[in-house]
Amino acid sequence: MDMAGQAVIVTGGGSGLGAATAMRLAADGARVAVVDVNREAAAAVANRIGGLALTGDVADEAAMTAALAEARAAHGPLRVLVNCAGVASGRRVVGRDGPMPLAEFERVVRVNLIGTFNMMRLAAAEMGTAEPLADGERGVIVSTASVAAFDGQIGQAAYSASKGGVAALTLPVARELAQHGIRVVTIAPGLFMTPMVAALSDDVKASLAAAIPFPRRLGAAEEYAALVAHIVVNRYLNGEVIRLDAALRMAPK
């Protein structure tokens, strides 16, 4: 799909991978709506790219229905959805204080998996009514899993489960939406220089980078955004989970 003039929504667009993606797609000519739970962060990115800032929880049906309607009124029919909204959790199933609180597991799954599915279904319903483009394409949905979906570490039970669900959604949803001309692709990033990682000490960041085969460094958010941009323009990419990890395979802990 040629991005020029197309309507895009990026969730989690106020920082990290989402912000880099919003900036890249806007630079490619897209009309971008930035969705984030942090109103100020969404507005900062939207103002920088001349886009639209929207606030809300991606797992909230009413809030996201309203957000899509506002984006449609401003930018026209949705063509591309990029799911970057997510939360992390680091807690053992059974720790020194006893079993992991169920509410924490539910929170991670709600945002990362249910939020992704909620946006998928709402976006697909809108994309399916749009006029077809080249090859009959009507839209593209790009979601964000993680290498933790495949080699999660001790303490990542909730996070790995949520991201494994995102990866598992990819093929069945791609198969279902194929009849509507909508492609579905997921990226599974490795260790990236996100705001959460940037806050760590230099020693910790160096230790993380040392585990990466090549290039031996943390990924840049712009590299994730570049892959999103390629997925959008390459119409033969569909139903796939792409690891973007410099050959990283995480150790048990």
Side-chain angles (χ1 to χ4, degrees), residues 17-34:
L17 303 180
T21 300
M23 293 176 193
R24 170 59 189 264
L25 298 184
D28 289 345
R31 307 175 73 186
V32 181
V34 178

Side-chain angles (χ1 to χ4, degrees), residues 96-172:
R96 294 177 180 175
D97 299 328
M100 176 183 184
L102 186 58
E104 183 170 342
F105 186 90
E106 290 177 332
R107 180 183 71 91
V108 174
V109 171
R110 173 177 168 77
V111 175
N112 294 354
L113 178 55
I114 295 176
T116 293
F117 179 74
N118 187 40
M119 294 303 297
M120 274 185 167
R121 70 186 188 91
L122 295 175
E126 181 172 331
M127 290 174 180
T129 64
E131 288 297 316
L133 304 173
D135 281 340
E137 185 175 43
R138 287 188 169 88
V140 183
I141 297 173
V142 181
S143 296
T144 307
S146 166
V147 295
F150 312 108
D151 31 88
Q153 297 180 302
I154 292 171
Q156 288 187 320
Y159 186 71
S160 294
S162 68
K163 293 300 189 177
V166 173
L169 273 176
T170 308
L171 183 58

Side-chain angles (χ1 to χ4, degrees), residues 90-92 96 148 151-157 160 191 207-208 210-211 248-253:
R91 191 187 289 265
R92 290 173 181 257
R96 294 177 180 175
D151 31 88
Q153 297 180 302
I154 292 171
Q156 288 187 320
S160 294
L191 296 173
S207 176
L208 292 173
L248 172 68
R249 297 298 181 268
M250 295 196 297
K253 59 181 179 179

Side-chain angles (χ1 to χ4, degrees), residues 49-74:
I49 64 175
L52 175 69
L54 301 170
T55 308
D57 176 357
V58 291
D60 184 324
E61 179 176 9
M64 290 303 101
T65 299
L68 262 70
E70 187 174 345
R72 181 170 60 253

Side-chain angles (χ1 to χ4, degrees), residues 209-218 223 244-249:
I212 300 171
F214 184 80
R216 188 158 290 179
R217 60 170 174 78
L218 299 173
E223 291 170 315
L244 185 63
D245 60 12
L248 172 68
R249 297 298 181 268

Side-chain angles (χ1 to χ4, degrees), residues 5-93:
Q6 303 296 359
V8 174
I9 289 178
V10 180
T11 72
S15 64
L17 303 180
T21 300
M23 293 176 193
R24 170 59 189 264
L25 298 184
D28 289 345
R31 307 175 73 186
V32 181
V34 178
V35 177
D36 204 285
V37 292
N38 185 321
R39 184 184 304 274
E40 292 74 20
V45 174
N47 289 339
R48 182 172 175 179
I49 64 175
L52 175 69
L54 301 170
T55 308
D57 176 357
V58 291
D60 184 324
E61 179 176 9
M64 290 303 101
T65 299
L68 262 70
E70 187 174 345
R72 181 170 60 253
H75 294 162
L78 180 63
R79 291 292 190 178
V80 178
L81 167 68
V82 186
N83 287 310
C84 287
V87 295
S89 172
R91 191 187 289 265
R92 290 173 181 257
V93 177

